[in-house]
Amino acid sequence: MEFPQEIMDQVRELHGISKEEAQRLKAQAEVAAQTERVWSDLDRFLTRGWRFHILALMEKESPRLKRMKAENHPAIPAIEEIYRLAKDESDRVLRRYPSLLEEACRANGLILDSNSHHPKYGLENGFFRLEIDEQRRVARLSNHEGRLAELPADVQAVVEIIKLEHQRLFERPFDGLKFLKTVRAQYKAVLKKNKQSDGSSVPIRHITRRLGKNIKGFRKDEFLVDLSRLAEKGP
């Protein structure tokens, strides 16, 4: 049985119209969701008193805020006052940054290295490096394996990131025997591939390269910390 072409054309036209409408509504929903995230972030930053995060958010959303201002949105005076207060307070924080950071670190059980000098700091004998970019008002946290985070330089936010990375690296459970067996297995695989005898010297990067391929979620900095634990505690 064949349906008349006229009917098929009407159905296809309805399909096209409904598809366009669905795409339009989807685009509107995405814009609405993005807008909701902006105001949710601003609310969160205000609640936590994160001045640098507020400034960064407003700079990122400047096109949106310019449109709101052109449309005489009633929220613009409040937003401009928030920006002014955040800017004034961030300037004050930058002037006191070293003492504020040291105090916040100490309150969270973190000790800055004694050779730390603003704007560059170290923790855990240089294992972590923290640099404050005053011009961009951002903080960069890194270790020997690369950058771990970059974020607006609110002291408490920075300390939270340091604490999370410190916990990830130094407060994980450690099974020395299991770790040693893992390293031994990868070492033997490298020897076999290179046709070397047991006891031969193998660069650590050859071990970590294999682990990166074979173990999901492998992190080289965690491996190096565990290697230090193994050297210190055995077996």
Side-chain angles (χ1 to χ4, degrees), residues 69-235:
K69 189 170 184 177
E71 295 165 0
N72 293 317
H73 195 287
I76 285 297
I79 291 172
E80 289 179 339
E81 179 66 5
I82 290 170
Y83 182 87
R84 185 188 67 78
L85 292 171
K87 179 67 168 59
D88 291 346
E89 182 65 12
S90 66
D91 290 340
R92 186 188 69 80
V93 168
L94 280 177
R95 290 193 293 270
R96 299 182 55 219
Y97 206 94
S99 60
L100 292 172
L101 178 65
E102 184 176 358
E103 182 180 322
C105 283
R106 191 183 305 111
N108 284 272
L110 302 167
I111 305 300
L112 296 171
D113 292 345
S114 59
N115 60 351
S116 295
H117 297 287
H118 187 77
K120 296 182 179 181
Y121 301 86
L123 295 96
E124 293 290 341
N125 295 317
F127 188 91
F128 291 112
R129 296 187 299 274
L130 176 68
E131 183 175 358
I132 308 302
D133 184 336
E134 291 194 2
Q135 185 173 358
R136 293 184 57 214
R137 301 180 183 233
V138 298
R140 300 185 189 93
L141 180 67
S142 60
N143 63 17
H144 299 300
E145 297 307 312
R147 185 171 297 177
L148 300 172
E150 178 173 313
L151 68 158
D154 293 285
V155 171
Q156 197 55 47
V158 171
V159 170
E160 286 182 15
I161 289 293
I162 296 173
K163 194 169 183 179
L164 284 173
E165 291 295 332
H166 191 278
Q167 289 172 344
R168 176 179 70 82
L169 284 161
F170 295 102
E171 298 177 34
R172 292 170 296 114
F174 176 66
D175 185 332
L177 184 59
K178 181 179 179 181
F179 179 73
L180 181 59
K181 287 180 177 179
T182 298
V183 175
R184 172 70 174 162
Q186 300 304 318
Y187 168 77
K188 289 172 68 177
V190 173
L191 293 183
K192 183 177 180 181
K193 181 180 177 181
N194 296 338
K195 296 181 173 58
Q196 294 173 281
S197 60
D198 200 358
S200 297
S201 176
V202 170
I204 286 291
R205 66 179 181 277
H206 292 182
I207 303 291
T208 56
R209 189 180 300 133
R210 286 190 57 84
L211 288 168
K213 293 178 180 178
N214 299 329
I215 297 181
K216 185 177 180 180
F218 172 78
R219 298 284 295 267
K220 193 185 294 185
D221 54 0
E222 293 177 2
F223 173 85
L224 294 176
V225 168
D226 286 347
L227 198 62
S228 297
R229 286 169 160 179
L230 184 68
E232 180 183 349
K233 301 177 181 178

